[in-house]
Amino acid sequence: MAYLNRFYDPPEDRFSELLERTGTTQENISCPVAAIIAAVKAEGDEALLRFTEEFDKVTLSSLRIPTSEIQKAEELVDETLKKALAVAKANIEAFHQAQSAEGERLEREGIALWRKIVPIDRVGLYVPGGSAPLISTVLMLAIPAQVAGCKEIVLCTPPDRDGRVNPAILYAAQLCGVNEIYRVGGAQAIGAMATGTASIKKVDKIYGPGNRWVTEAKTQVGSALCAIDLPAGPSEVMVVADSFADPVFVASDLLSQAEHGPDSQAMLIICADREDGELYADAVEKAIAEQLKQLERKAALEASLANSRLFIIPSLEGCARLANAYASEHLIINLQNEKKEEQLLSMITNAGSIFLGPWSPESSGDYASGTNHTLPTGGWARGYSGLSTDSFIKKITVQRLSREGLENLAPTLAAMADAEGLKAHRRAVDVRLGEER
Amino acid sequence: MAYLNRFYDPPEDRFSELLERTGTTQENISCPVAAIIAAVKAEGDEALLRFTEEFDKVTLSSLRIPTSEIQKAEELVDETLKKALAVAKANIEAFHQAQSAEGERLEREGIALWRKIVPIDRVGLYVPGGSAPLISTVLMLAIPAQVAGCKEIVLCTPPDRDGRVNPAILYAAQLCGVNEIYRVGGAQAIGAMATGTASIKKVDKIYGPGNRWVTEAKTQVGSALCAIDLPAGPSEVMVVADSFADPVFVASDLLSQAEHGPDSQAMLIICADREDGELYADAVEKAIAEQLKQLERKAALEASLANSRLFIIPSLEGCARLANAYASEHLIINLQNEKKEEQLLSMITNAGSIFLGPWSPESSGDYASGTNHTLPTGGWARGYSGLSTDSFIKKITVQRLSREGLENLAPTLAAMADAEGLKAHRRAVDVRLGEER
């Protein structure tokens, strides 16, 4: 039995069809989401408590988690996890510190130009709920915010049916300096951070993943009310391997993507001629079958693999073309040697995050090597980068001209203002230089 | 007669009301814009030609401007403007080259992490039409794209009733290396660049200003089809002056903003105690009245000034609070001396671009000092920076772990994957280290 549909070296005009994302068509939720945001804007906390009752099935009297509860979380998290979080935090922090920007400065003939780097004042982080606590999401959002120097970092996450937030979330948050935590989730949490309520002060930018309601809410506020990090969508991986890569490793990479859910997608490109490629593909299929036996939720994994595709492409250039056309969130490159891997890397222009060689599984970047796991999905990697320290700062341009600097520039300004028909733009120069008052 | 409404040191709870933008409430155009985009997606060039006939009142047989016409434009532009464009280009290029990013690299214990800088492959620039050619817009969009190294730079701009594009636009475009130019404007141009047609290949990101139709179209494609630069809106300036600033300069700054149109806004903060502030405000009013006499379109300018407000604030800290609350696209700081100006600058966290001292009118940055004039309006400066070379590149994270590196990280990855309940994420590590196959 084959889990993956196979395609041999497809022509470029079939790329868009073969690389189509599997986002299941679902009913349009833009109206109910707009109604939630409007209610939050109009009624504030009252609406938040009502929606929490409706969607999270719990009646709360307050939204903010008291400091005492956050502090007590430390006792409730086991030592192995605490140690792991400390290692992950140190690694993520180091890489995001290396990303810190410096403002450029340029001076000539009485004109000084520079960029002033400032952290965004108040940022809002969203951490989805669910059966397991998404501690890595907390680290990936809060650490760059802290490294950037954001003064106020707010976190919203839905409560469980007892009105509680998992202590591991609270522990991870306070480890990263986040103490303003609200138990509120869904579109209502996004609405609250975007518009502000009595409890939750409006933020300047919203970050983080979420379900369809959260994603739709971010899209809606993003065009009118509040900056957002990235358009979001289901997760995906593309693996480029040749016959030197261990098929067991490749199978494990595809399966670790598949476990994210039925809408996630795992793509495999085998860089080989047709005959070798088919043999290698069989080896990967065998390894998938073996590993599926060891995993729970086999049916769900098989359903997810049904979205996946396998391509056999003879040339490295052809692999690069296909990989760039897909613009994968995660791209694993596992080839004969480092030289070949670097050669392919040099041709890649569209990807969220790239993992090189046999010892770099996606999990390393998902959790603890130091790179950020908040990445552009759904082909957005063509136009966007993943989250980084850059996402939490602004660069404000500043200029100071001396009188001489303005005099030198004046003829240029006058000619351009004249061409654009903006007389007062020209006069703002002329009155300064005494030609008119 | 007073042109500006005056307010003395308002309390913070009145800020949002007093700093409200004047965006006139207009009929909702989201449905007609969505219909245009859908038609372009379905019918391609045919729809583009039809909408051009409908909105631009001209029947075209082709959209792309032939190379011969672009080359011929050079003969039609006068020498003074050519010289000005050369100076402006050199200055803008120098500052945007200084912004070029380098990828960070971090190595430790068998883990190498870095960011690979790549230009966005194909970018689409929109230049609005109108009575005067917006040559500065061409420079501000095309130069950073060229500096970033974008392989394909596309420009769309509406044709006039003779089906032509102003030669100054064509000349400025080819000066900045742009040769793929289409005579198509409005929501249909944005739809074409976002979805692709037979003539216009889909782009990876869309940049540039436009009227309400263009802005709405960018918002719509930005959430589903194509990356965009910034949410757009009417232009605005805030001037912070004290009684040492020449009131004639200040008046000219307010008027040069007002000439952008009735929806643009000019705000003035006078940093002074009440009595001095009122006297200074009178001097500015007098200078406005004088300068209005010299300008055309007096009625339009007066209408625009009616949106403007004047605040008298005694402390520098108070001025910073108000300026940060407004988050102005342009912020002019014109105070007693450089030290005071720098002191206020150090407190500013929200602004698009800042102009320091008496010799730095907004026109310098609008045209030729070197900073970019595509800036966040409408308060978006709280969460966004203006356009820069950064806007045309992506930073892709890359990692390579050695076997030892993965071994060191494995316990951390296992603990975190276990906590999040993602078994296959853990297995992708375990199979590599031979603990399971």
Side-chain angles (χ1 to χ4, degrees), chain B residues 96 140-141 144 207 229-230 372 374-375 385-389 391-392:
Chain B
H96 286 77
M140 294 296 177
L141 301 177
Y207 305 76
D229 53 353
L230 278 178
N372 206 291
T374 312
L375 297 166
S385 313
L387 224 62
S388 70
T389 307
S391 317
F392 292 84

Side-chain angles (χ1 to χ4, degrees), chain A residues 291-312:
Chain A
Q291 292 182 38
L292 269 176
K293 287 182 205 157
Q294 318 294 322
L295 290 164
E296 294 158 22
R297 300 194 299 148
K298 191 166 173 264
L301 284 164
E302 284 180 12
S304 164
L305 285 179
N307 301 329
S308 299
R309 270 157 240 151
L310 184 161
F311 300 92
I312 299 168

Side-chain angles (χ1 to χ4, degrees), chain B residues 19-43:
Chain B
L19 296 175
E20 211 176 335
R21 260 77 180 179
T22 44
T24 42
T25 359
Q26 289 161 314
E27 87 278 25
N28 190 317
I29 53 169
S30 74
C31 288
V33 167
I36 291 172
I37 295 170
V40 171
K41 198 172 174 181
E43 300 165 58

Side-chain angles (χ1 to χ4, degrees), chain B residues 90-412:
Chain B
N91 291 351
I92 297 165
E93 208 165 59
F95 190 53
H96 286 77
Q97 263 158 1
Q99 294 166 2
S100 293
E102 272 176 55
E104 312 70 12
R105 196 181 167 98
L106 200 68
E107 247 172 296
R108 57 176 157 67
E109 304 160 358
I111 300 182
L113 310 174
W114 67 98
R115 288 201 289 177
K116 172 184 152 92
I117 311 289
V118 290
I120 297 178
D121 283 341
R122 180 171 167 85
V123 296
L125 317 181
Y126 186 80
V127 176
S131 48
L134 292 178
I135 42 174
S136 62
T137 305
V138 177
L139 301 190
M140 294 296 177
L141 301 177
I143 292 171
Q146 204 186 20
V147 168
C150 299
K151 279 196 288 282
E152 300 177 14
I153 309 176
V154 178
L155 191 151
C156 286
T157 193
D160 64 19
R161 292 199 177 193
D162 300 319
R164 294 185 187 284
V165 166
N166 192 300
I169 296 280
L170 301 181
Y171 175 75
Q174 64 84 27
L175 188 69
C176 305
V178 181
N179 295 302
E180 191 179 339
I181 307 176
Y182 300 94
R183 47 190 155 208
V184 59
Q188 60 273 22
I190 304 301
M193 291 195 279
T195 66
T197 71
S199 300
I200 306 177
K201 216 180 91 193
K202 182 186 182 333
V203 304
D204 298 316
K205 190 169 175 182
I206 296 173
Y207 305 76
N211 62 16
R212 291 172 55 233
W213 291 73
V214 168
T215 300
E216 173 64 26
K218 277 176 67 188
T219 302
Q220 289 188 14
V221 303
S223 65
L225 291 165
C226 186
I228 60 167
D229 53 353
L230 278 178
S235 184
E236 71 219 6
V237 75
M238 181 173 257
V239 179
V240 187
D242 61 16
S243 55
F244 294 89
D246 189 328
V248 173
F249 295 9
V250 170
S252 77
D253 291 334
L254 300 174
L255 285 165
S256 93
Q257 185 62 43
E259 87 176 325
H260 276 296
D263 54 358
S264 80
Q265 200 171 42
M267 300 292 223
L268 172 60
I269 301 180
I270 300 172
C271 187
D273 61 32
R274 184 151 205 171
E275 201 177 334
D276 285 353
E278 297 282 1
L279 283 173
Y280 188 79
D282 293 341
V284 172
E285 289 282 358
K286 196 172 148 246
I288 289 175
E290 287 294 321
Q291 294 182 36
L292 270 175
K293 289 182 203 155
Q294 319 294 322
L295 290 164
E296 294 158 23
R297 301 195 298 148
K298 191 167 172 264
L301 284 165
E302 283 181 12
S304 164
L305 284 179
N307 302 330
S308 299
R309 270 157 240 151
L310 184 160
F311 301 91
I312 299 168
I313 313 262
S315 77
L316 214 52
E317 290 71 24
C319 295
R321 254 196 309 276
L322 195 69
N324 285 329
Y326 187 61
S328 191
E329 182 191 12
H330 307 97
L331 179 66
I332 299 179
I333 299 178
N334 189 350
L335 299 174
Q336 182 179 3
N337 53 43
E338 295 201 4
K339 202 184 138 200
K340 273 227 171 109
E341 288 163 357
E342 303 274 347
Q343 209 181 329
L344 178 56
L345 174 65
S346 73
M347 293 186 275
I348 297 298
T349 56
N350 295 335
S353 192
I354 300 174
F355 300 75
L356 294 180
W359 309 108
S360 310
E362 193 196 304
S363 322
S364 60
D366 282 347
Y367 290 128
S369 63
T371 57
N372 206 291
H373 80 192
T374 312
L375 297 166
T377 56
W380 287 105
R382 291 180 202 109
Y384 286 111
S385 313
L387 224 62
S388 70
T389 307
D390 303 341
S391 317
F392 292 84
I393 60 160
K394 294 173 295 182
K395 296 180 179 177
I396 304 175
T397 50
V398 188
Q399 60 201 289
R400 180 188 288 285
L401 278 67
S402 67
R403 187 183 166 112
E404 191 207 350
L406 184 60
E407 274 167 359
N408 288 338
L409 207 58
T412 300

